[in-house]
């Protein structure tokens, strides 16, 4: 592993500025314009930061098996995995109903990532440091929400 020099980070930050840093480009935006909407959304969810669905895992049939299930975060207390039929053993009607209920939740999430992947160039985060990566993720989410805002009924 390469040892960091005394001015390594300063060098890379200067280099980013020369290449046109995204953070510097956004200085022209008056972010206070978003405050009322953000406060309204936060007020609606006050006290509801984590609910049961936030602690549930929804996955397709590729996530079965002991190796995958052993690597789950500790806060997951509910697992919903779609079942799949195999040759000469199709899914029963009960399994199809259960899969349908799971897919209703999963599709809402998959559509968000699908939109971001197709419209935002495959969600590649390229940056130096976690602060810039978090900024990029927040900006991607902001752009997605701005795109969805006109189509959401309030």
């Amino acid at each position: 592993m390469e040892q960091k020099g005394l001015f390594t980070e300063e060098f890379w930050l200067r280099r980013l500025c020369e290449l046109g840093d995204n953070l510097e480009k956004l200085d022209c935006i008056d972010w206070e314009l978003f405050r009322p909407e953000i406060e309204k959304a936060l007020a609606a969810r006050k006290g509801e930061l984590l609910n049961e669905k936030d602690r549930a895992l929804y996955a397709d049939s590729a996530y079965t098996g002991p190796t995958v299930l052993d690597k789950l975060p500790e806060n997951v207390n509910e697992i919903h995995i779609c079942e799949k039929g195999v040759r000469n053993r199709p899914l029963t009607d009960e399994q199809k109903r259960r899969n349908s209920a799971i897919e209703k939740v999963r599709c809402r999430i998959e559509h968000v990532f699908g939109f971001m992947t197709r419209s935002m160039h495959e969600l590649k985060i390229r940056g130096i440091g976690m602060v810039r990566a978090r900024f990029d993720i927040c900006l991607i989410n902001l752009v997605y929400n701005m795109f969805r805002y006109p189509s959401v009924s309030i």
Side-chain angles (χ1 to χ4, degrees):
M1 180 183 255
E2 184 179 320
Q3 185 176 359
K4 283 189 173 185
L6 184 60
F7 300 103
T8 305
E9 190 170 340
E10 184 180 318
F11 167 77
W12 284 113
L13 290 175
R14 191 175 336 115
R15 180 80 174 120
L16 278 171
C17 291
E18 292 169 3
L19 293 173
D21 186 9
N22 290 337
L23 287 174
E24 291 178 354
K25 290 178 186 175
L26 292 174
D27 265 352
C28 63
I29 297 174
D30 181 12
W31 294 102
E32 287 299 315
L33 293 173
F34 296 100
R35 183 174 298 280
E37 290 297 322
I38 292 171
E39 286 176 351
K40 187 167 59 171
L42 288 175
R45 289 201 51 150
K46 191 172 187 173
E48 186 195 316
L49 293 179
L50 189 66
N51 60 29
E52 283 302 312
K53 291 191 180 200
D54 293 324
R55 295 180 183 187
L57 169 74
Y58 289 85
D60 63 14
S61 59
Y63 291 94
T64 57
T67 56
V68 174
L69 297 177
D70 289 342
K71 297 176 184 176
L72 291 177
E74 295 124 19
N75 65 337
V76 172
N77 60 8
E78 201 175 317
I79 301 171
H80 303 282
I81 299 177
C82 288
E83 300 179 62
K84 80 176 176 183
V86 293
R87 182 186 299 180
N88 298 326
R89 208 167 3 136
L91 292 176
T92 65
D93 289 339
E94 178 59 32
Q95 288 172 318
K96 289 178 185 177
R97 276 193 295 279
R98 201 169 33 246
N99 280 356
S100 178
I102 293 169
E103 288 165 358
K104 285 179 184 175
V105 175
R106 285 189 63 239
C107 77
R108 301 220 9 130
I109 297 161
E110 296 292 333
H111 288 162
V112 172
F113 285 109
F115 171 83
M116 290 178 177
T117 301
R118 284 188 311 276
S119 301
M120 298 179 169
H121 308 291
E122 301 181 18
L123 288 178
K124 291 184 180 165
I125 307 295
R126 295 187 177 112
I128 299 171
M130 285 302 295
V131 173
R132 291 180 186 280
R134 282 189 188 112
F135 170 79
D136 286 349
I137 292 167
C138 288
L139 190 59
I140 288 169
N141 291 334
L142 178 67
V143 169
Y144 174 76
N145 287 324
M146 290 172 125
F147 176 81
R148 289 278 302 148
Y149 184 76
S151 64
V152 175
S153 62
I154 297 176

